[in-house]
Amino acid sequence: MKVDWKNIGFGYYPTDYNVRCYHKNGKWGEIEVSSSAYFNIHMAATSLHYGQEAFEGLKAFMGKDNKIRIFRWQENAKRLNLSANGIKMSSVPHELFHEMIFRVVKLNKDYVPLYGTGASLYIRPLLIGTGAEVGVKPANEYLFLVFVIPVGPYFKEGFKPVNIMICRDHDRAAPLGTGNIKVGGNYAASLISLEKAHNTGYSTVLYLDAKEKKYIDECGPANFFGIKGNTYITPDSLSILPSITNKSLQELAIDLGMKVERRLIPVEELSEFDEVGACGTAAVISPIGKIVDVDKNITYTFCKDGKPGPISAKLYKKLIAIQLGEETDKFGWMDVVE
Ligand SMILES: Cc1ncc(COP(=O)(O)O)c(C=O)c1O
């Protein structure tokens, strides 16, 4: 197969197989392997009407030694079940999650981008209510499906700072809502603000806490962090998704002798950070060059030389080196696909 891995971007890309499992009559059935990108669904399925839908996103990498490794899948398995519990769906047993993601990667191993291309295989587990209900209540049947797509390096031009804008006219989640779980409704709620940011030349938005609009919450579909001296600071909020990348960066920061603070971050504190960034599976770290507060006519500027800050760069390189098997995985984050 000849694929131009460096230029494939981040979008749907057909692969050969996906795996599926249905939960019916109170139990999970057999794993089915499918080569169709479609499935039949009842028109009254709760996922279509009442948002009973959760998903995950994780990656498999071709290592330097030509072994395929999956990054911290156990964390995604746990988070999927937090999402399932949060919207009253059947949870997915850890072993079933494991079996399905490893199986789908093996079935599509020809699509794992080569080492050195910067590309990887994105794994998308999806859990949806398929049972028919018209009253507002949880479905009695669920589908757990996993597909994979090869994705290119997030930054085609390399690891470069992006500009973002503060968003005050939309919230992605309510203070006691579903912001801390990975359910479709949060993403639907973010579409208007993201489009507005893109149309005005920003790569994403910085959401503030929905209640008071005083503190930093999330950075589009990614977590926010700031570096101040030797400290890595990231928001503490009930409405942000617990990012596995953020968790890993915090562990790496501690390992590098830094302090880590998880606390409220007032917007004005942006003027005190040495470096700021967004983090998530897609890009690991997007260093932020400018944060524009359009309503208050304030611009917070970072990376004045146009380059990512040194600590962000160090953390980014460390995490990528572990993912690619270039550096010893002393945290036990990578699992080889045999
Ligand atoms: C809203 C949101 N926040 C944060 C993240 C980053 O999480 P992770 O590092 O687990 O990919 C994601 C992406 O999964 C997300 O959608």
Side-chain angles (χ1 to χ4, degrees):
M1 196 174 22
K2 280 212 172 68
V3 182
D4 181 8
W5 299 122
K6 286 193 175 148
N7 289 307
I8 52 174
F10 192 98
Y12 183 73
Y13 189 106
T15 51
D16 292 341
Y17 301 103
N18 56 82
V19 291
R20 302 156 181 214
C21 190
Y22 286 91
H23 188 272
K24 287 184 183 164
N25 302 318
K27 59 178 196 301
W28 287 100
E30 295 295 317
I31 299 170
E32 298 166 20
V33 175
S34 173
S35 49
S36 167
Y38 296 87
F39 53 82
N40 270 325
I41 191 164
H42 194 288
M43 63 185 174
T46 60
S47 50
L48 302 178
H49 298 257
Y50 304 128
Q52 270 201 307
E53 185 272 354
F55 64 100
E56 272 303 326
L58 64 162
K59 280 181 174 175
F61 301 86
M62 184 64 80
K64 198 178 176 187
D65 53 3
N66 281 327
K67 286 188 179 158
I68 301 170
R69 291 179 179 79
I70 302 181
F71 180 66
R72 302 196 84 172
W73 63 269
Q74 299 90 335
E75 296 294 326
N76 296 88
K78 275 191 244 162
R79 193 170 66 186
L80 180 69
N81 281 342
L82 293 176
S83 302
N85 294 338
I87 55 170
K88 301 295 289 176
M89 298 198 287
S90 293
S91 52
V92 176
H94 204 71
E95 307 70 49
L96 181 64
F97 187 94
H98 175 247
E99 172 67 27
M100 286 178 65
I101 61 160
F102 279 72
R103 175 101 67 103
V104 75
V105 171
K106 268 189 245 174
L107 285 165
N108 294 289
K109 63 178 185 330
D110 292 346
Y111 292 90
V112 182
L114 300 178
Y115 171 75
T117 56
S120 53
L121 190 75
Y122 181 77
I123 308 168
R124 170 54 66 87
L126 173 73
L127 175 66
I128 59 170
T130 47
E133 295 292 348
V134 178
V136 180
K137 57 177 145 174
N140 58 3
E141 290 182 6
Y142 293 88
L143 165 63
F144 179 50
L145 181 149
V146 189
F147 67 84
V148 293
I149 49 169
V151 293
Y154 196 79
F155 300 109
K156 279 206 192 115
E157 304 84 36
F159 178 60
K160 284 207 180 129
V162 297
N163 296 338
I164 68 171
M165 63 177 275
I166 290 178
C167 171
R168 284 201 177 73
D169 55 359
H170 280 92
D171 296 308
R172 59 178 283 283
L176 297 175
T178 53
N180 60 338
I181 55 177
K182 203 162 168 66
V183 298
N186 299 339
Y187 297 82
S190 72
L191 293 176
I192 292 181
S193 49
L194 287 179
E195 187 176 84
K196 189 169 153 189
H198 295 155
N199 289 345
T200 39
Y202 298 99
S203 76
T204 193
V205 292
L206 186 63
Y207 292 108
L208 304 182
D209 76 284
K211 194 170 179 182
E212 296 185 277
K213 297 270 183 283
K214 273 191 182 164
Y215 306 103
I216 294 172
D217 240 10
E218 285 214 270
C219 201
N223 275 186
F224 174 88
F225 70 90
I227 306 288
K228 205 191 264 190
N230 196 36
T231 309
Y232 178 106
I233 305 165
T234 193
D236 188 15
S237 157
L238 288 178
S239 50
I240 65 181
L241 189 75
S243 152
I244 296 157
T245 313
N246 193 357
K247 187 173 171 173
S248 310
L249 294 173
Q250 291 173 46
E251 289 172 57
L252 287 175
I254 290 172
D255 195 54
L256 289 171
M258 295 178 67
K259 276 198 281 178
V260 169
E261 289 176 9
R262 219 177 129 237
R263 59 164 171 83
L264 295 176
I265 305 180
V267 185
E268 306 74 50
E269 195 180 340
L270 284 173
S271 61
E272 298 170 23
F273 286 114
D274 304 323
E275 301 175 30
V276 291
C279 60
T281 294
V284 179
I285 289 179
S286 310
I288 298 170
K290 276 196 181 105
I291 302 182
V292 182
D293 192 335
V294 182
D295 305 315
K296 299 204 169 165
N297 202 17
I298 301 174
T299 299
Y300 301 93
T301 307
F302 309 90
C303 312
K304 292 199 177 114
D305 58 358
K307 290 197 206 125
I311 294 179
S312 305
K314 201 187 232 178
L315 291 169
Y316 174 81
K317 284 187 191 140
K318 275 230 160 241
L319 190 49
I320 300 249
I322 293 174
Q323 291 175 330
L324 296 178
E326 296 167 349
E327 191 165 304
T328 319
D329 173 26
K330 69 176 187 184
F331 301 94
W333 288 340
M334 306 307 296
D335 233 351
V336 173
V337 179
E338 303 286 358

